[in-house]
Amino acid sequence: MAPIPGSGLAKGLAVTLRTMTKKTVTEQYPDAQPDLPPRTRGVIGLFEENCTVCMLCARECPDWCIYIDSHKETVPAATPGGRERSRNVLDRFAIDFSLCMYCGICIEVCPFDALFWSPEFEYAETDIRDLTHERDKLREWMWTVPAPPALDPGAEEPKEIATARKTAEKLAAAQAEPTAPGDAQGEES
């Protein structure tokens, strides 16, 4: 059967009329901030206290956009007769976001949880050279990182927490025991 002439035009106009009668959902960005999903990849935040300058993030980065400088510092012995230790001290941690492809490999390989995804996305610059952000700026973004989601109520308790809880219970029981025999001796006198 041959199509009716002009049926395509009528269908197109019907779609246009339906669309014109609906309320628009466009948000005016600078005036209204968008509601971002919880796992939005904005920029990378640095929790400097956890960084041990192991350089894994810089080595694994496919774009080589992470720059780390450090120096060694000698730490005196903790106990008399012990030996001095040396540790790395972070001097510079910078990420060049003009090179970064936001793959997240640096965050995944960090064994000390020093890098996190921040939902911050407003870091545009007029000069591309200003997209290299140093550790102070990365630290500011760290405080915008959302808290991790709560554990599933039916999930098994993590072994670290279970071990810590058992140790605390043993310590509390050990502290309670010496007071009980002392009271018994006081009653005998």
Side-chain angles (χ1 to χ4, degrees), residues 37-69:
R39 295 181 53 167
T40 299
R41 289 184 175 192
V43 293
I44 298 167
L46 171 68
F47 190 55
E48 195 174 332
E49 287 77 17
N50 286 357
C51 184
T52 61
V53 196
C54 66
M55 307 287 243
L56 275 174
C57 55
R59 278 184 280 168
E60 294 296 324
C61 179
D63 292 331
W64 293 87
C65 65
I66 299 175
Y67 309 112
I68 301 174
D69 291 330

Side-chain angles (χ1 to χ4, degrees), residues 95-147:
I95 299 177
D96 188 352
F97 286 105
S98 65
L99 296 176
C100 183
M101 65 179 182
Y102 304 92
C103 63
I105 292 174
C106 57
I107 295 169
E108 295 297 322
V109 300
C110 182
F112 303 103
D113 287 336
L115 298 173
F116 294 90
W117 281 118
S118 168
E120 197 68 34
F121 63 92
E122 295 177 323
Y123 57 96
E125 299 287 344
T126 55
D127 188 4
I128 196 168
R129 291 173 288 197
D130 294 335
L131 282 172
T132 301
H133 294 291
E134 298 292 332
R135 68 181 181 180
D136 297 333
K137 187 67 174 175
L138 299 175
R139 184 180 193 64
E140 286 176 28
W141 285 328
M142 180 60 210
W143 308 122
T144 63
V145 173

Side-chain angles (χ1 to χ4, degrees), residues 10-54:
K11 287 180 184 177
L13 286 173
V15 169
T16 303
L17 287 172
R18 261 195 316 253
T19 306
M20 286 176 56
T21 59
K22 290 183 181 176
K23 185 177 183 249
T24 60
V25 293
T26 303
E27 294 181 17
Q28 300 302 321
Y29 163 64
D31 301 328
Q33 292 294 323
D35 293 327
L36 300 172
R39 295 181 53 167
T40 299
R41 289 184 175 192
V43 293
I44 298 167
L46 171 68
F47 190 55
E48 195 174 332
E49 287 77 17
N50 286 357
C51 184
T52 61
V53 196
C54 66

